[in-house]
Amino acid sequence: MTAMTGSRRNNRPGQDMDRAPDFTQSIDRADCMANIHKRVYRQDGKEKSVLLFVNPESYSRRDHITLKMSFDDGNTWPEACHILLDEYAGRGYSCITSINGSTIGILYESSQSDLVFQQIIIE
């Protein structure tokens, strides 16, 4: 997955847009849509951030929908920071949003229902 930044307003026609980091070597993914969300927080008076990424934890199927967290700008995604949302096959599309200072919301297509909205408290 390579995220694109910028817009037509900021770039001249034909000019390449700036590229965000490429996470394809550090996370598993099926060939389907995934979602990434950067959350900024304060710890011990310092501003920090966490990247939240949700997708099927599989190269071949859309199953094991998993939320992953990275505290080093996507260089690593520690297993201890993975949360399994749905282990069975579904369509796998997802979207992450911040609800408040300690909670995120994930909307995803699950194996049990067309759409699930799940709230997760991030500590």
Side-chain angles (χ1 to χ4, degrees), residues 19-36:
R19 290 191 179 267
D22 182 348
F23 301 118
T24 56
Q25 301 304 310
S26 60
I27 53 178
D28 291 336
R29 81 269 180 237
D31 290 331
C32 75
M33 182 249 171
N35 195 259
I36 195 162

Side-chain angles (χ1 to χ4, degrees), residues 1-2 23-24 26-30 32-39 50-58 64-70 74 76-77 81-83 85 94-96 104 106:
M1 178 184 90
T2 302
F23 301 118
T24 56
S26 60
I27 53 178
D28 291 336
R29 81 269 180 237
C32 75
M33 182 249 171
N35 195 259
I36 195 162
H37 180 74
K38 183 174 185 176
R39 185 173 179 93
V50 59
L51 288 179
L52 303 159
F53 180 82
V54 65
N55 76 324
E57 175 92 357
S58 172
H64 291 85
I65 305 297
T66 304
L67 172 68
K68 302 167 190 79
M69 291 177 259
S70 173
T76 61
W77 302 86
C81 298
H82 290 197
I83 299 172
L85 304 175
S94 61
C95 186
I96 306 172
I104 61 164
I106 303 172

Side-chain angles (χ1 to χ4, degrees), residues 2 8 15 18 22-24 27 30 46-47 52-53 58-60 71 74-75 81 86 97 101 106 108 115 119:
T2 302
R8 270 283 182 215
Q15 180 184 7
D18 294 331
D22 182 348
F23 301 118
T24 56
I27 53 178
K46 295 181 181 177
E47 187 174 278
L52 303 159
F53 180 82
S58 172
Y59 279 103
S60 60
F71 294 91
N75 290 308
C81 298
D86 188 342
T97 190
I106 303 172
Y108 63 97
L115 288 175
Q119 296 182 47

